[in-house]
Amino acid sequence: MKDYIKDIPVDNKSYEDILLEIKDAIKNNQKYTIFSINPKKIMHSMQDEKLKKGLINASAHIPDGMLVVKKCKYINKRVTGVDLMNKICENCHDINGKIFFYGAKKEVVEKLNVVLKEKYPNITISGYIDGYSDSDKVINAINKSKANILFVAMGSPKQELWVIDNIDNLNVNVIMGVGGSFDVLSGTKKRAPKFFTKLNLEWLYRMVCEPKRMKELPLYLKFLFTVKRDK
Ligand code: UDP
């Protein structure tokens, strides 16, 4: 059973379920999009029909934020974007993946390529490009690379809107929006310490470390106090 919050589905799928679905999508040459569902995206989708439709039409909606899980009836565990991306990289060989990274600063995506090749010698990385490049150049580079898995890391909702606008021109099977995961998996930024994760306060930790995120606080509070799960 899946949950819905403001019409946006939240799937009750484990990391293993999603890995199997990805493997099938690659084998059968089908498109499979993954978006993580968090308060920010739900709140934005309430103001943006294109974003809302794009999120609804995705193949997998992972409950990334603990605040989202709290609103769900059937889901009691997070499936985080950063952990799912890490597992896809780890299982790259088994799922016949060929990966392309699009997003983050040039030095971050370059470091990510090196770090992941060291961590997972069986990974196939077909290419990478930073998130500040011209969109046409990016699409050409992705298609030329013959990758079948694309990670897009440009923050939300920018990355989701880019995927929605360009999905038909991308010759890849799997597309996943991963926010700040390139920064974390490359070792450029630290994840919140366990103390914060245990208390469901990862979002607060990010606000303290990056004060520019304070402007998102009203959005989180509005989500917490006004948004209800759909019946
Ligand atoms: N970014 C990018 N292009 C842009 C804006 C941002 O590649 O035009 C990258 C930025 O360098 C960072 C990531 O997107 O690596 C933003 O991550 P953040 O943690 O802010 O994502 P969110 O909280 O929205 O998931």
Side-chain angles (χ1 to χ4, degrees):
M1 287 292 269
K2 63 173 78 178
D3 278 279
Y4 290 86
I5 304 172
K6 292 284 168 196
D7 299 329
I8 306 297
V10 190
D11 297 329
N12 202 351
K13 289 177 183 171
S14 66
Y15 292 106
E16 291 70 29
D17 294 336
I18 298 173
L19 280 175
L20 283 175
E21 290 183 4
I22 290 175
K23 191 173 180 175
D24 275 355
I26 292 174
K27 192 169 147 211
N28 301 319
N29 196 21
Q30 288 164 344
K31 281 242 159 85
Y32 187 93
T33 46
I34 308 164
F35 290 135
S36 44
I37 305 303
N38 57 29
K40 201 164 137 185
K41 266 173 246 184
I42 291 176
M43 298 307 281
H44 279 293
S45 74
M46 287 164 67
Q47 319 278 338
D48 183 337
E49 246 338 278
K50 183 163 95 172
L51 177 65
K52 182 172 177 176
K53 237 170 131 189
L55 290 177
I56 291 173
N57 289 338
S59 321
H61 314 82
I62 59 171
D64 195 342
M66 201 58 214
L67 294 182
V68 165
V69 173
K70 290 265 175 237
K71 304 270 178 194
C72 289
K73 184 174 179 185
Y74 305 106
I75 296 161
N76 54 22
K77 264 208 307 259
R78 292 174 75 192
V79 170
T80 70
V82 65
D83 289 323
L84 181 58
M85 177 180 159
N86 196 29
K87 281 182 197 292
I88 294 171
C89 292
E90 187 180 0
N91 290 280
C92 180
H93 182 69
D94 178 48
I95 61 180
N96 288 315
K98 287 178 277 173
I99 295 175
F100 196 102
F101 299 117
Y102 169 37
K105 292 188 183 136
K106 192 164 181 283
E107 60 273 21
V108 172
V109 72
E110 279 170 2
K111 194 169 163 208
L112 180 74
N113 175 53
V114 174
V115 168
L116 288 178
K117 274 184 180 156
E118 251 171 42
K119 194 170 171 194
Y120 304 123
N122 276 336
I123 196 171
T124 303
I125 298 177
S126 301
Y128 57 86
I129 196 162
D130 67 87
Y132 300 87
S133 314
D134 169 64
S135 184
D136 286 342
K137 186 174 141 197
V138 171
I139 293 170
N140 276 335
I142 295 166
N143 288 340
K144 247 173 109 180
S145 78
K146 305 266 183 259
N148 53 19
I149 298 177
L150 170 65
F151 292 109
V152 185
M154 292 194 293
S156 298
K158 188 173 182 177
Q159 66 197 19
E160 286 76 18
L161 290 169
W162 185 87
V163 172
I164 293 162
D165 282 339
N166 295 294
I167 188 163
D168 292 338
N169 299 321
L170 291 163
N171 301 331
V172 293
N173 298 117
V174 180
I175 308 177
M176 178 176 177
V178 295
S181 300
F182 291 7
D183 299 282
V184 174
L185 293 179
S186 65
T188 311
K189 270 189 198 167
K190 280 208 169 58
R191 261 183 113 166
K194 286 243 154 53
F195 166 79
F196 284 89
T197 347
K198 271 201 180 136
L199 293 175
N200 304 326
L201 291 174
E202 208 166 344
W203 56 280
L204 184 64
Y205 174 81
R206 294 179 85 188
M207 272 180 204
V208 172
C209 293
E210 295 171 69
K212 68 175 178 4
R213 288 187 187 274
M214 282 307 280
K215 66 175 189 300
E216 293 173 3
L217 186 61
L219 185 143
Y220 279 88
L221 294 176
K222 198 166 174 203
F223 177 84
L224 194 59
F225 294 112
T226 66
V227 172
K228 292 191 170 61
R229 132 174 79 80
D230 301 353
K231 294 281 174 226

